């Protein structure tokens, strides 16, 4: 925490997460606004009245809907009471009271363990872990306890009502400890579900699914998108199924697979490939990392024969490796080129070299070229 | 640009602070001081001193041990109202014998290769019985792994213990965990997990749910003095305290964490001394005095519920047995030491002396009771050994609730095909 505060000071502010969120928005606004892909047809997003909002507001709406429909559902974490350092819990304490929306001591293993114990009574809860970079003190509770609670009891007990929310990913100036994307660690753990949304409407529906899913879920929120990603979000209470990918842009020549903020990078790269190479890319948002939708990906690769997978996390042992392995099992004879991975490097996440480190549209474009010219 | 951004951030931080002040009811006025005392964040007023004195806990008195019955089985002078009901005391005693027989026979069974692993609770039977009587039967319990007697007290049958230790099809845990990892929703006893101390923050969460439920239940959580060194100890204590959860933290300080003696484990006055740092009331109790354990536990749980806050109990004990069947404790402690404690402090011996002094017990009754308990345990074990292993499909079930994810379904199909191709390799597994 001392380091968090120190980093906030370096950023020229005194409230770390808040500063990061605000500064993240600034950093992103200096580029072109993030283009939000249009919604696909397979989605469970309802038509009807909608409100234009950013990602943190959509998450706020999702949590509000969950707490309105379930009186036992509680929300807690560090700095949650005043609205959260990324503003996701704004107004919820006022609406639902201090017994249901509250601060915890600064202790991730405590937050996770407390959440498991609460959920073990058959109730649901949303536990905020302020940064995914700080989820590791809770790793034991999540991996050894939450994930195995049901299995080890022979199905007699479970803590399926727990949802861990945590901001993840590059933000422009987060350095080693405000930038990580740890989804692959958790994807290696049977019993968990791992989800990462790309946009506000996706976030609301996926978060509601996680909260109501009878299994412990990890919901990673790309913090660069909290303010930058804006779209119409249905006012209704709706759920987007976990484990289902979405074809965000249809195409014929190369399949681009990503999740979270990288979906937007893929979209840009697809536009570049179309404009500069005349190559048609199919962009797939995996949405769920565990379980992940191999069927949708394989169907696409069987059509295109070429695939690029991108994520921000380091390459070795990253989730792209799992996707690539499954693709070669399912599509071996259909592959026209080696599967391309565009990822962070196998280094810690470096502040001064973020532009070099994070996969961007140019790197993906190069991978598309490599795949099409093999 | 940078200056503007910094100013905006400072303004945001100010607004954050004032919001925080509103929501927590902290007065936002400037700190007021007097010559004698000053006001500090959190609404506390602290006295000033010109005496630059360090507080050294080594100078403090040791926390005393609450006991009502001494080693000879006599109630201490001035103590009244304990052990007056013969039937009540006899039940406590025979249950302690049952726990001891369960441990003895299962320990031997492991030595004979009949079960894979076991952990005894020799010397701590009084803690199980006393604590079980102190809590209500529907108070949810998180145990470590040396509290089986509490589950026995709640009605978990010898057959259920044996089925779990034999990993057979009637094990509620479906044979997935090592022996002694019991669990039973019917008895409000969460399934034991091997990682130490993870149960403490969980107990805080369950206790919080009990508070929300408002039915006067509290959460009970057990652990050893070694487990109290884990970070989860701090997490659980601090969460229960700040979130005002009715939880009884029950520490069995039995002198050893596997081989590590307490002198290598901590420096303070046991574990109970730590409760003060969390603003938590605590009591230290003689773990071999079943009356004292029951009384202290009952008072602790009633206080936890009435005041909606956690309470700490440290039961002083001695682990007479090895850590587990994988351990030989004579490699790190002398036989003389073990014998000394067994002779002076064993809770079964102590309660027996109490009963004998009342004329309620004798050698004949002892022999008959032990024989009956031994027979019942052996019957359960023999029956458990004959039951088949859980069905192979249980390998893949309960990982997720709801529809089985595709990758698990594929892996199950692949295993079944493999088994069909190589039936001889899997023959005799009892699945």
């Amino acid at each position: 925490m001392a380091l968090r505060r120190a980093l906030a000071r370096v950023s020229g502010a005194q409230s770390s997460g808040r500063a990061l969120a605000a500064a993240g928005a600034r950093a992103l606004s200096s580029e072109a606004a993030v283009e939000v892909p249009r919604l696909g047809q397979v989605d469970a997003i309802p038509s009807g009245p909608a409100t234009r909002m950013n990602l943190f507001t959509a998450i706020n709406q999702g949590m509000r809907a969950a707490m309105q429909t379930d009186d036992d559902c509680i929300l807690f974490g560090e700095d949650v009471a005043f609205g959260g350092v990324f503003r996701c819990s704004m107004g919820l304490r006022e609406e639902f009271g201090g017994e249901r929306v509250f601060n915890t001591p600064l202790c991730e293993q405590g937050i996770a363990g407390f959440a498991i114990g609460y959920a073990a009574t058959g109730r649901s809860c949303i536990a905020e872990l302020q940064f995914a970079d700080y989820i590791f003190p809770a790793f034991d509770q999540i991996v050894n306890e939450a994930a195995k609670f049901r299995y080890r009891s022979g199905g007699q007990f479970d803590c399926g009502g727990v949802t861990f929310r945590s901001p993840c990913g590059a933000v422009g100036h987060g350095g080693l400890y405000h930038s990580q994307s740890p989804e692959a660690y958790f994807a290696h753990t049977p019993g968990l579900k791992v989800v990462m949304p790309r946009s506000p409407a996706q976030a609301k529906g996926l978060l509601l699914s996680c909260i109501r899913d009878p299994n412990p879920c990890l919901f990673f929120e790309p913090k660069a998108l909290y303010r930058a990603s804006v779209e119409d979000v249905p006012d209704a209470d709706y759920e987007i199924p976990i484990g289902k990918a979405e074809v965000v842009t249809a195409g014929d020549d190369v399949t681009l697979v990503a999740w979270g903020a990288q979906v937007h990078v893929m979209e840009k790269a697809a536009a570049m490939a179309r404009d500069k190479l005349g190559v048609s890319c199919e962009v797939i948002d995996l949405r769920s990392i565990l379980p992940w939708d191999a069927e949708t990906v394989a169907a696409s690769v069987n059509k295109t024969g070429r695939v690029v997978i991108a994520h921000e996390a380091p390459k070795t042992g990253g989730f792209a490796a799992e996707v690539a392995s499954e693709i070669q099992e399912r599509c071996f004879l259909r592959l026209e080129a080696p599967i391309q991975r565009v990822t962070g490097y196998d280094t810690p996440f470096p502040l001064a070299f973020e532009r070099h480190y994070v996969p961007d549209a140019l790197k993906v474009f190069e991978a598309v070229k490599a795949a099409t010219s093999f | 640009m940078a200056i503007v951004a910094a100013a905006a951030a400072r303004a945001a931080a100010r607004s954050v602070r004032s919001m925080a002040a509103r929501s927590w009811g902290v007065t936002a006025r400037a700190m007021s001081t007097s010559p004698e005392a000053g006001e500090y964040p959190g609404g506390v007023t602290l006295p000033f001193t010109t005496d630059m004195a360090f507080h050294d806990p080594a100078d403090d008195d040791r926390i005393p041990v609450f006991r009502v019955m001494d080693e000879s089985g006599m109630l201490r002078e001035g103590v009244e109202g304990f052990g007056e009901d013969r039937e009540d005391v006899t039940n406590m005693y025979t249950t302690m014998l049952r726990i001891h027989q369960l441990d003895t026979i299962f320990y031997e069974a492991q030595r004979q290769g009949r079960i894979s692993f076991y952990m005894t609770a020799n010397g701590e039977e009084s803690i199980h019985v006393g604590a079980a009587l102190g809590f209500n039967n529907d108070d949810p319990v998180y145990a470590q792994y040396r509290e089986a007697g509490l589950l026995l007290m709640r009605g978990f049958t010898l057959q259920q213990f044996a089925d779990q230790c034999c990993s057979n099809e009637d094990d509620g845990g479906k044979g997935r965990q090592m022996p002694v990892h019991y669990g039973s929703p019917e008895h409000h006893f969460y399934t034991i997990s091997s990682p130490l101390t993870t149960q403490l923050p969980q107990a805080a969460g369950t206790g919080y749910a009990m508070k929300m439920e408002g039915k006067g239940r509290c959460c009970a959580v057990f652990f050893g003095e070694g487990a109290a060194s884990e970070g989860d100890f701090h997490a659980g204590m601090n969460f229960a305290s700040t979130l005002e959860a009715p939880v009884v933290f029950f520490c069995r300080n039995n002198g050893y964490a596997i081989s590590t003696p307490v002198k290598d484990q901590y420096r303070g006055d046991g574990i109970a001394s730590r409760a003060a740092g969390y603003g938590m009331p605590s009591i230290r109790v003689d773990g071999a005095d079943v009356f004292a354990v029951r009384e202290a536990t009952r008072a602790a749980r009633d206080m936890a519920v009435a005041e909606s806050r956690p309470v700490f109990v440290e039961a002083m004990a001695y682990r007479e047995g090895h850590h587990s069947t994988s351990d030989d404790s004579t490699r790190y402690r002398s036989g003389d030491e073990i014998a000394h404690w067994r002779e002076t402090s064993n809770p079964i011996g102590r309660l027996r002396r109490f009963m004998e002094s009342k004329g309620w017990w004798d050698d004949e009754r002892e022999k008959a009771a032990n024989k009956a308990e031994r027979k019942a345990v052996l019957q359960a074990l023999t029956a458990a050994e004959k039951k088949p292993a859980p069905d192979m499909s249980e390998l893949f079930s309960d990982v997720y609730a709801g529809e089985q994810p595709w990758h698990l379904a594929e892996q199950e199909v692949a295993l079944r095909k493999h088994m069909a191709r190589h039936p001889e390799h899997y023959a005799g597994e009892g699945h």
Side-chain angles (χ1 to χ4, degrees):
Chain A
M1 189 59 193
L3 279 176
R4 272 179 252 186
R5 296 257 186 263
L7 183 129
R9 279 196 294 277
V10 170
S11 311
Q14 286 145 33
S15 167
S16 86
R18 172 91 185 215
L20 269 177
R26 281 199 303 278
L28 279 155
S29 63
S30 65
E31 300 171 17
V34 172
E35 210 174 301
V36 175
R38 66 182 177 282
L39 303 170
Q41 317 86 323
V42 294
D43 244 315
I45 293 182
S47 51
T51 307
R52 198 164 168 77
M53 65 180 72
N54 64 20
L55 183 71
F56 79 66
T57 310
I59 286 164
N60 181 278
Q61 299 277 307
M63 294 197 288
R64 176 172 283 111
M67 298 186 77
Q68 280 170 344
T69 50
D70 177 1
D71 289 342
D72 286 331
C73 182
I74 61 173
L75 164 66
F76 50 87
E78 295 157 17
D79 306 304
V80 158
F82 89 109
V85 295
F86 289 109
R87 316 312 293 140
C88 293
S89 52
M90 269 202 303
L92 298 180
R93 185 179 174 94
E94 289 73 11
E95 183 169 346
F96 299 105
E99 281 209 319
R100 293 182 64 195
V101 181
F102 51 88
N103 286 335
T104 67
L106 203 167
C107 179
E108 284 76 10
Q109 68 198 85
I111 294 169
F114 181 90
I116 292 164
Y118 185 80
T121 66
R123 296 165 172 86
S124 73
C125 62
I126 308 161
E128 179 174 308
L129 297 153
Q130 198 168 80
F131 285 87
D133 308 73
Y134 305 128
I135 205 167
F136 300 109
F139 201 69
D140 186 41
Q141 285 287 352
I142 297 171
V143 168
N144 266 335
E145 295 292 318
K148 298 171 174 63
F149 213 94
R150 185 189 311 275
Y151 192 79
R152 74 183 183 210
S153 73
Q156 298 183 101
F157 292 104
D158 71 84
C159 62
V162 67
T163 297
F164 302 105
R165 287 179 43 240
S166 196
C168 71
V171 70
H173 60 289
L176 277 77
Y177 302 115
H178 294 81
S179 305
Q180 295 176 70
S181 296
E183 67 271 15
Y185 289 109
F186 298 99
H188 200 57
T189 304
L192 298 177
K193 293 191 174 182
V194 183
V195 171
M196 197 189 292
R198 70 168 187 274
S199 73
Q202 293 289 315
K204 182 177 173 184
L206 286 167
L207 179 59
L208 277 164
S209 285
C210 283
I211 296 167
R212 292 164 180 166
D213 192 275
N215 298 286
C217 295
L218 278 151
F219 190 77
F220 287 114
E221 301 164 3
K223 57 183 167 294
L225 303 183
Y226 272 137
R227 289 163 193 271
S229 180
V230 177
E231 69 182 350
D232 285 343
V233 176
D235 299 335
D237 181 330
Y238 62 97
E239 296 167 25
I240 297 176
I242 298 170
K244 296 272 183 253
E246 184 183 16
V247 178
V248 178
T249 302
D252 301 317
D253 303 325
V254 183
T255 301
L256 308 184
V257 181
W259 48 93
Q262 281 292 314
V263 176
H264 306 292
V265 172
M266 290 305 212
E267 285 282 279
K268 278 185 194 164
M272 283 169 73
R274 180 191 63 219
D275 297 343
K276 296 185 178 171
L277 305 175
V279 168
S280 161
C281 292
E282 180 147 296
V283 178
I284 296 178
D285 176 5
L286 216 50
R287 303 199 285 197
S288 295
I289 311 303
L290 184 67
W292 69 285
D293 187 352
E295 197 178 333
T296 295
V297 173
S300 176
V301 177
N302 278 332
K303 178 174 70 176
T304 61
R306 295 176 173 85
V307 58
V308 180
I309 311 159
H311 58 62
E312 291 183 10
K315 186 173 189 178
T316 302
F319 199 69
E322 179 62 33
V323 175
S325 181
E326 188 70 26
I327 289 172
Q328 65 83 23
E329 278 184 43
R330 293 185 181 222
C331 315
F332 187 69
L333 294 175
R334 282 291 302 127
L335 285 172
E336 305 283 354
I339 298 167
Q340 307 287 315
R341 283 185 284 167
V342 184
T343 68
Y345 300 107
D346 290 343
T347 69
F349 196 110
L351 177 69
F353 308 112
E354 179 163 328
R355 273 171 60 84
H356 305 79
Y357 183 90
V358 177
D360 60 11
L362 180 60
K363 284 182 187 163
V364 175
F365 174 74
E366 290 291 323
V368 169
K369 270 209 298 201
T372 49
S373 60
F374 180 75
Chain B
M1 174 60 196
I3 294 167
V4 172
R10 274 195 299 275
R14 269 198 304 279
S15 123
V16 165
R17 275 198 298 274
S18 66
M19 280 176 69
R22 276 199 304 279
S23 47
W24 288 308
V26 177
T27 355
R29 67 172 182 272
M31 200 168 74
S32 70
T33 56
S34 72
E36 290 79 31
E39 193 181 335
Y40 289 94
V44 296
T45 302
L46 302 174
F48 294 127
T49 178
T50 55
D51 178 15
M52 195 192 73
F54 289 86
H55 171 237
D56 187 343
D59 299 332
D60 294 348
D61 290 339
R62 294 266 168 173
I63 299 170
V65 179
F66 171 64
R67 65 149 56 163
V68 297
M69 175 171 60
D70 64 21
E71 283 86 353
S72 67
M74 301 302 291
L75 291 185
R76 300 187 76 210
E77 210 176 312
V79 167
E80 281 176 11
F82 291 92
E84 290 174 350
D85 185 311
R86 178 174 179 169
E87 191 187 337
D88 182 42
V89 178
T90 307
N91 280 340
M92 291 161 88
Y93 184 71
T94 53
T95 305
M96 280 159 63
L97 288 184
R98 187 172 308 140
I99 296 166
H100 190 72
Q101 288 298 343
L102 181 70
D103 279 350
T104 304
I105 289 166
F106 280 30
Y107 182 84
E108 287 165 5
Q110 193 281 337
R111 286 292 183 252
Q112 296 159 3
R114 296 161 74 183
I115 59 177
S116 57
F117 176 82
Y118 194 70
M119 302 179 93
T120 64
N122 300 346
E124 299 178 44
E125 296 89 347
S126 46
I127 293 176
H128 303 192
V129 170
L133 293 168
F135 291 109
N136 288 354
N137 278 342
D138 63 351
D139 288 334
V141 168
Y142 287 90
Q144 185 167 303
Y145 46 61
R146 214 182 295 284
E147 297 91 358
L150 186 141
L151 187 54
L152 183 74
M153 286 284 289
R154 286 194 172 184
F156 200 70
T157 64
L158 291 175
Q159 194 59 57
Q160 286 176 300
F161 283 105
D163 289 340
Q164 198 283 330
C165 287
C166 288
S167 313
N168 68 32
E169 66 175 8
D170 285 341
D171 167 20
K174 301 183 181 172
R176 290 168 182 153
Q177 291 211 79
M178 290 168 75
V180 313
H181 291 63
Y182 312 112
S184 173
E186 182 194 347
H187 302 104
H188 306 277
F189 192 97
Y190 284 108
T191 301
I192 293 163
S193 77
S194 305
L196 282 184
T197 332
T198 50
Q199 72 274 24
L200 267 69
Q202 293 170 15
T206 297
Y208 192 84
M210 295 303 99
K211 179 171 81 168
M212 300 282 276
E213 181 187 73
K215 290 184 181 164
R217 294 203 285 166
C218 93
C219 183
V221 59
F222 292 83
F223 51 98
E225 87 288 346
S229 294
E230 289 279 3
D232 269 340
F233 171 84
H234 161 70
M237 297 278 282
N238 202 28
F239 272 59
S241 199
T242 54
L243 297 167
E244 298 169 352
V247 178
V248 173
F249 289 89
F250 197 113
C251 178
R252 297 174 296 96
N253 188 339
N254 66 12
Y256 288 93
I258 304 188
S259 74
T260 304
V262 291
K263 71 177 171 54
D264 295 341
Q265 196 67 249
Y266 56 75
R267 272 295 171 277
D269 179 13
I271 311 298
S273 64
R274 297 180 199 170
Y278 299 96
M280 199 185 293
S282 65
I283 190 167
R284 177 174 279 157
V285 62
D286 182 345
D289 175 349
V290 68
F291 300 138
V293 173
R294 176 172 70 174
E295 195 69 7
T297 306
R298 170 57 54 182
R301 71 85 56 203
D302 288 350
M303 192 190 308
V305 171
E307 300 178 21
S308 194
R309 65 192 294 210
V311 181
F312 196 91
V313 178
E314 179 181 24
M316 306 307 288
Y318 183 77
R319 196 194 78 205
E320 289 180 15
H322 306 303
H323 164 70
S324 73
T325 47
S326 307
D327 174 45
D328 172 9
S329 65
T330 60
R331 293 175 65 172
Y332 50 82
R333 60 180 182 178
S334 68
D336 286 350
E337 179 192 310
I338 302 170
H340 164 76
W341 284 92
R342 189 172 285 151
E343 281 158 24
T344 60
S345 187
N346 182 277
I348 296 178
R350 194 185 297 195
L351 191 59
R352 180 178 172 178
R353 289 188 281 277
F354 173 85
M355 293 177 71
E356 284 172 347
S357 74
K358 296 258 190 185
W360 296 346
W361 203 254
D362 52 30
D363 284 348
E364 201 177 315
R365 288 190 176 90
E366 177 83 6
K367 213 172 156 184
N370 269 324
K371 194 177 169 189
E373 300 300 350
R374 190 174 170 81
K375 189 178 169 194
V377 175
L378 277 169
Q379 265 177 357
L381 181 62
T382 308
E385 286 177 310
K386 289 179 182 152
K387 296 181 186 180
D391 190 81
M392 195 280 283
S393 62
E394 302 291 6
L395 194 168
F396 294 96
S397 65
D398 302 324
V399 181
Y400 291 97
E403 194 187 342
Q404 193 179 39
W406 62 268
H407 58 285
L408 273 182
E410 277 189 9
Q411 289 163 27
E412 183 170 355
V413 168
L415 174 59
R416 286 187 185 284
K417 283 182 181 166
H418 172 78
M419 288 174 73
R421 281 196 301 275
H422 305 282
E424 74 293 345
H425 189 74
Y426 296 93
E429 297 266 314
H431 292 279

